[in-house]
Amino acid sequence: MSNDFQLGGFLLDCAGKALDLSKPKVMGILNVTPDSFYEGSRCRDGWLKLAEQMVLDGADILDIGGESTRPGASGALSQEEELERVLPVIEGLNSRLDVILSVDTSSPLVMAETVKAGAGLINDVRALYRDGALEAAASTAVPIVLMHSLVEQPEPGFVPVYDDVVAEVGEYLASVVARCEQAGIAKERLIIDPGFGGGMFGKTPQYDLQILKGYRRFHKYGLPLFAGVSRKSFVGSTLNRDTEERLPGSLAAAMLAAQAGAHIIRVHDVRETVDVLRLLQAVEEA
Ligand code: 8Y7
């Protein structure tokens, strides 16, 4: 079977650990928040066991987040509180596991301190738009995931409207990339993500489906592509399934993203997703 795309030969340096994106990589979600939407990833205490299991299951990266982006999640954390949650986990995992640690944060303090403690990737759903975040990220040397979002939580009842969602999200990401380059961040450190999801992420389920359908079009920016579809609301609303029942739909979505050339796929269910990607790889090599 011929590849209908060629993953770019991206090779990133994540604080001394190589991230080879010639094949899609799996990022396991490790939430250290008490209020994340999917029960399975809440692990304020069991984080070490969960992290070890994800690595055994084939995770290439672990994404550690201390602040929930869920609409209505308990009020904004101070940067210090967020750091207090996340830093011990990064330090603990860095000394125990040989895996790339990603920090899911929008806070400049958290970026700076966790990279010092060994984080090899910054994942910012606000694409470095918080005050000081651009400068903080520029002062590190690690790769950065830039996600499209509304940056702020919209008013209740807000309905996003796009004419061509892939084109408009792509234009936004291109402008964020330009802003990063102006701040001295090399393009070689950047990864782009359309940001599937509602609320602050700014898409309806229908737009999420359109993004997945047109995902290949993001290759034109010449950067590694990221996809976060795991157990998201578009899977639930398309299939009429609660979060605990969204694994099959999430795997199908991960498979579609990988076939469309996603380089990094962020998931709750590492073992199952790794199997899907192995099968896809085997077919492509057949
Ligand atoms: C995404 C993400 C979340 C995503 C990137 C959830 C932190 C919500 N989603 N980061 N984070 N992309 N880059 O449903 O899609 O997992 S949190």
Side-chain angles (χ1 to χ4, degrees), residues 29 37 63 69 104 123 125 145 147 193 196 201 226 228 232 266 268:
I29 301 172
F37 84 96
D63 192 36
T69 52
D104 158 20
N123 176 27
V125 297
V145 180
M147 197 193 83
D193 177 1
F196 292 88
F201 291 23
F226 188 104
K232 286 204 171 164
R266 180 180 180 274
H268 299 90

Side-chain angles (χ1 to χ4, degrees), residues 2 28 55 142 166 215 238 247-248:
S2 67
V55 172
V142 300
V166 173
Y215 193 87
T238 302
L247 177 58

